[in-house]
Amino acid sequence: MKLPANPTFARMDSPYRENFPPAFYARFPVERLTPEQTDELLENGWFRHNTLVSTFAIKNMDNTLRSTVMLRLPLQNFTWKQRLRKLMRRNEQAFSVKIQPCQFTEEKDLLWQKFKQEVHRWSGVFTLDKHLMAGFPAENFNTWEVSVRYEGRLVAFSVFDLGRRSLGSLEAAYDPAFSKYSLGLWTMLLEIDFAQRQGLEFFYPGFLPKDLPMFNYKLRPGGLQFYRFLEKRWLPLEQLAPRDWMLERVGERLAVLQQAIQTAGGAARLIFSPHYFKPTGGFDVALEAYNFMLLILNPENPAGGWHFLAAWDVQAERYFLFFANVGQGLASLAKISTAPVLHLFGVAERQFLGKFLNEIEMLERLKTGNLLNPLLH
């Protein structure tokens, strides 16, 4: 999807705001973004990763599904904590810093590979250029970098997209031999300082996963806000509530339905579907609007491609039921009796079967329509 070259930006009626899908993981491809487009997408809960613009309240991390929220830091009234200023002064005396449009070099890529393998324990690491740009030049997204050197040697860097009013932090890496200097935190602070000096309004550090301490460094500056998906607005992080963790909120309702299906003799497993969803200015009921669902095995043809998919829509507070051909997109149908979460990578055909207030109504529909015969009789 290529965005308009000269769009008209209306911050309060943006299609990325008013028609935000109920999906909790959505993405669409772009080839370039203007600084104004970067501002708009960040403001409405989206974030760029290589040439995909994504948003997620549920994210698959190391084969584990986690709830996440998007973060931002308003800069107008931001004040520096004393201990962060102390870190800034200490590191400025030991290292040299340069901030400039992003350049992809072998030196930077070697540091990136080392950091990802030794610190994050990635088994396979793309080059930094491929990871961030997928072959497109950095100027397509007005991408900049912070580089940190010690006696001429590159020891840390971070990469960010620069909008007209905001800065979106993308990636960072540092040499593990210099870990005592908190270089990962420091490059983030350097980005914040740069954004302030440029007169920007917001700094976006990306997403915060639930119960994953390695991301808590993003909270160190204080004064942060989070994006509440259902209300489509930014709120102080102190107002983050249990209902904002969507995996748990949706998962509770799907677990109730799963138990009801299994009690009735059916087979049902959770699925995660990281599909594309393009914000086109409105949509009807669409299977693509959901990515965390319940797969209900079709007993009439258990080995075939057509099965039932049930979603819990947190906006409508209803179950939505679909009948879909998942044969080519389901990665592990053979494991349906054992796998806790299956991955669905595409749906060839689908049919919408209705909305239901609770699992009792849905089971009645399945019985009445003979959809689960003979398991429910």
Side-chain angles (χ1 to χ4, degrees):
M1 174 180 178
K2 185 182 294 186
L3 298 179
N6 296 296
T8 300
F9 291 91
R11 292 172 60 182
M12 295 307 294
D13 61 357
S14 162
Y16 304 102
R17 178 184 180 91
E18 298 306 326
N19 295 298
F20 194 94
F24 302 123
Y25 184 104
R27 57 184 181 172
F28 62 95
V30 292
E31 296 179 2
R32 64 179 65 245
L33 291 172
T34 67
E36 292 83 2
Q37 288 170 324
T38 293
D39 289 338
E40 181 189 18
L41 290 167
L42 287 169
E43 184 178 8
N44 290 289
W46 299 83
F47 212 80
R48 183 178 77 83
H49 170 70
N50 60 55
T51 55
L52 294 174
V53 174
S54 307
T55 187
F56 32 76
I58 298 175
K59 186 171 174 61
N60 187 16
M61 305 180 68
D62 295 328
N63 295 318
T64 301
L65 294 181
R66 291 184 180 275
S67 289
T68 69
V69 292
M70 304 301 293
L71 298 176
R72 81 173 180 184
L73 176 65
L75 298 174
Q76 184 174 6
N77 298 315
F78 174 70
T79 56
W80 289 85
K81 295 179 180 178
Q82 184 175 355
R83 62 180 178 273
L84 297 182
R85 278 297 188 194
K86 183 178 179 180
L87 172 64
M88 295 279 283
R89 290 193 298 267
R90 183 195 71 177
N91 283 359
E92 286 169 357
Q93 295 174 1
F95 303 93
S96 61
V97 175
K98 188 173 184 179
I99 301 178
Q100 63 182 6
C102 186
Q103 301 175 3
F104 294 102
T105 64
E106 183 180 2
E107 180 186 36
K108 191 179 283 96
D109 194 60
L110 288 174
L111 179 57
W112 161 258
Q113 299 274 339
K114 181 178 182 180
F115 172 76
K116 285 301 180 183
Q117 290 170 0
E118 296 184 15
V119 178
H120 286 176
R121 306 293 183 184
W122 284 16
S123 57
V125 185
F126 288 129
T127 64
L128 182 64
D129 186 8
K130 185 175 182 179
H131 177 73
L132 286 177
M133 300 297 168
F136 289 91
E139 53 264 30
N140 277 24
F141 304 98
N142 199 27
T143 303
W144 286 54
E145 67 177 44
V146 175
S147 59
V148 177
R149 294 184 178 273
Y150 178 77
E151 296 181 349
R153 169 188 167 192
L154 183 69
V155 295
F157 69 85
S158 64
V159 183
F160 60 89
D161 283 350
L162 186 59
R164 196 71 65 196
R165 300 179 294 106
S166 51
L167 185 157
S169 186
L170 298 175
E171 286 287 355
Y174 61 84
D175 189 332
F178 289 81
S179 59
K180 70 176 183 179
Y181 292 96
S182 302
L183 296 183
L185 171 62
W186 188 40
T187 54
M188 184 183 75
L189 299 179
L190 289 169
E191 291 178 348
I192 295 173
D193 179 67
F194 175 77
Q196 278 192 309
R197 289 187 284 108
Q198 297 299 310
L200 304 184
E201 296 178 41
F202 299 105
F203 170 77
Y204 292 84
F207 66 94
L208 178 71
K210 186 175 185 285
D211 298 330
L212 200 58
M214 68 177 292
F215 284 83
N216 287 349
Y217 74 93
K218 297 182 180 183
L219 307 179
R220 294 282 296 278
L224 288 155
Q225 298 176 336
F226 78 100
Y227 190 76
R228 180 166 283 167
F229 284 89
L230 297 184
E231 297 178 8
K232 306 178 182 66
R233 61 180 179 137
W234 294 90
L235 297 168
L237 189 58
E238 293 76 15
Q239 295 184 26
L240 184 67
R243 65 190 180 95
D244 293 306
W245 299 116
M246 291 298 173
L247 177 62
E248 289 74 14
R249 183 172 177 176
V250 175
E252 288 178 1
R253 296 308 305 249
L254 293 182
V256 171
L257 179 59
Q258 182 181 29
Q259 182 60 50
I261 294 292
Q262 292 173 341
T263 300
R269 290 294 180 270
L270 296 173
I271 64 166
F272 179 69
S273 183
H275 45 234
Y276 290 90
F277 189 98
K278 300 180 181 180
T280 56
F283 59 88
D284 298 320
V285 176
L287 179 61
E288 288 78 9
Y290 306 92
N291 64 283
F292 186 47
M293 295 178 284
L294 194 67
L295 173 70
I296 306 170
L297 192 64
N298 176 14
E300 297 292 333
N301 191 14
W306 285 87
H307 299 277
F308 303 99
L309 294 173
W312 176 256
D313 188 300
V314 293
Q315 293 173 318
E317 294 189 336
R318 296 290 190 277
Y319 288 109
F320 284 27
L321 183 63
F322 301 87
F323 193 49
N325 184 356
V326 301
Q328 297 299 316
L330 193 60
S332 52
L333 181 59
K335 299 180 180 179
I336 189 169
S337 62
T338 60
V341 179
L342 306 178
H343 283 72
L344 179 65
F345 294 98
V347 174
E349 303 172 80
R350 80 294 311 274
Q351 178 184 354
F352 178 58
L353 299 179
K355 306 177 184 180
F356 306 91
L357 178 63
N358 52 47
E359 63 280 356
I360 297 174
E361 285 189 2
M362 182 175 289
L363 285 174
E364 286 299 322
R365 170 70 173 91
L366 292 170
K367 291 178 182 179
T368 303
N370 211 30
L371 301 179
L372 285 183
N373 179 57
L375 293 182
L376 294 181
H377 292 274

